[in-house]
Amino acid sequence: MSSLQLAAGRMLRSFLTLIVLQIWNCRPGDCQADPSESVKLRLGNGGSPCAGRVEVHYKGNWGTVNHNLWDLRDAAVVCRELGCGAATGAPGGAHFGPGSGPVVTWDVQCSGSEAALRECGSQPWGLHYDRSHDWDAGVICEDLTFSF
């Protein structure tokens, strides 16, 4: 594929994203999960309930979150929602291995004070099967469980 074809494909994807955002009536980084939908979180492939790939149950499917714009503030919200300690890492690039199912959202932008990931701004939540799992977001939280 030529560089011109790749550039045209990126432009078309950007244009379509803007159309979808207008339909959903939100700006990039300003959308949230549909409030009528149940959202559950878990961490996969991390060897601990407080570390792993961010997995989201949304609209009846388990999927992942893309790491684009993912940072420690986003991880802090996930750690809080899961009842873990403070966030100590926010690895991307499928650090905990690529997930499966749809990518639920990307461009997550939490302030860090939200009670749940669904409250953070992001791209529209949905079941994006065309997104790569090579960029799944992860978190590392302090594990508050103690062994005696």
Side-chain angles (χ1 to χ4, degrees):
M1 196 177 277
S2 75
S3 60
L4 184 58
Q5 288 172 315
L6 289 172
R10 282 194 284 272
M11 282 180 52
L12 178 60
R13 184 174 179 174
S14 295
F15 178 72
L16 292 174
T17 298
L18 288 173
I19 289 172
V20 168
L21 291 173
Q22 286 180 339
I23 291 169
W24 284 50
N25 197 23
C26 60
R27 294 169 295 178
D30 198 27
C31 297
Q32 295 174 331
D34 180 343
S36 69
E37 292 288 340
S38 170
V39 175
K40 297 178 198 168
L41 290 185
R42 68 182 182 196
L43 300 178
N45 206 34
S48 159
C50 293
R53 176 182 51 250
V54 179
E55 297 180 346
V56 180
H57 190 264
Y58 185 67
K59 293 191 175 183
N61 292 284
W62 281 101
T64 62
V65 174
N66 182 279
H67 80 172
N68 196 41
L69 303 179
W70 190 255
D71 63 21
L72 207 52
R73 290 176 299 203
D74 309 319
V77 173
V78 170
C79 292
R80 182 179 310 110
E81 185 171 356
L82 293 174
C84 296
T88 60
H95 177 82
F96 293 102
S100 60
V103 173
V104 175
T105 193
W106 66 97
D107 287 352
V108 174
Q109 296 177 337
C110 301
S111 69
S113 63
E114 296 87 351
L117 188 66
R118 72 179 301 136
E119 297 173 7
C120 300
S122 68
Q123 292 290 342
W125 281 52
L127 305 178
H128 306 281
Y129 289 94
D130 62 337
R131 308 278 297 183
S132 171
H133 286 289
D134 292 340
W135 311 111
D136 285 344
V139 301
I140 302 168
C141 316
E142 293 177 350
D143 191 342
L144 296 179
T145 59
F146 299 100
S147 300
F148 293 100

